[in-house]
Amino acid sequence: MEKKFDFASFALLAALLAAFVFSAVTYFSNTPGKRYVFRFESVDKGRTAIESRFLPAKDGDEKIALYVDDLLLGAKTERSRPIFSPGTKARLCFLRGKTLYVDLTSDLLYQDGNAGDIMESIALFKRNIFKNFSSVKEIELTIEGKRIL
């Protein structure tokens, strides 16, 4: 028995394959970036609020600096405290080996807004970095170039 070429089956298979390729290309070209987890102190004592955000996909120091900038902007939910006082920004952020160096503005020292205790906030800041970037083993924080304990 000889099989005949079935054009209808071939056309259906080609259409399905084209739809799959189109869907894959559309999906991967429109991804919002990489997903990161942000932890903030909740207004309710003893709780941690967790947010998930997408940041643009970057390489090396740039992705960590982008994360730090977003972390310093604070939580998007109402029942969460900002990590540090409003206005705190990273003046410098770079990775050297396994150590992350971050220099923050002196706005961190002012207990404005509803930011928590500075030492607890520093610990939470470091926890956020360690949980999201496994390559970072140590964090050196400075304020306006002066080292923090």
Side-chain angles (χ1 to χ4, degrees):
M1 243 193 201
E2 188 178 311
K3 284 194 171 187
K4 290 187 177 179
F5 179 74
D6 187 11
F7 184 74
S9 297
F10 177 75
L12 180 61
L13 183 62
L16 288 173
L17 183 62
F20 173 76
V21 169
F22 177 76
S23 297
V25 168
T26 303
Y27 173 78
F28 287 116
S29 66
N30 289 329
T31 55
K34 186 168 178 353
R35 182 179 158 272
Y36 292 96
V37 175
F38 292 80
R39 290 165 180 78
F40 297 98
E41 182 183 348
S42 177
V43 175
D44 308 321
K45 272 294 186 197
R47 298 188 66 197
T48 301
I50 297 176
E51 292 182 12
S52 177
R53 300 181 195 170
F54 284 92
L55 298 177
K58 301 289 182 184
D59 293 327
D61 292 355
E62 198 174 2
K63 72 178 170 187
I64 297 176
L66 194 61
Y67 179 84
V68 167
D69 288 342
D70 218 49
L71 182 63
L72 293 175
L73 285 176
K76 291 184 179 182
T77 57
E78 295 177 19
R79 304 275 312 154
S80 300
R81 299 176 188 272
I83 294 280
F84 299 119
S85 298
T88 303
K89 293 181 179 41
R91 294 178 34 182
L92 190 67
C93 181
F94 65 93
L95 185 65
R96 185 74 21 99
K98 295 182 183 273
T99 303
L100 178 67
Y101 296 90
V102 181
D103 185 34
L104 301 172
T105 60
S106 61
D107 297 320
L108 172 139
L109 300 172
Y110 307 112
Q111 289 288 302
D112 294 340
N114 63 349
D117 175 65
I118 291 176
M119 295 312 287
E120 289 176 16
S121 295
I122 289 171
L124 185 58
F125 177 84
K126 288 182 175 184
R127 183 173 163 219
N128 271 291
I129 301 296
F130 290 137
K131 292 282 186 180
N132 283 282
F133 301 97
S134 59
S135 63
V136 176
K137 300 299 179 201
E138 188 178 340
I139 299 173
E140 291 289 330
L141 274 177
T142 56
I143 300 174
E144 303 279 339
K146 294 182 176 74
R147 195 164 178 195
I148 301 174
L149 295 175

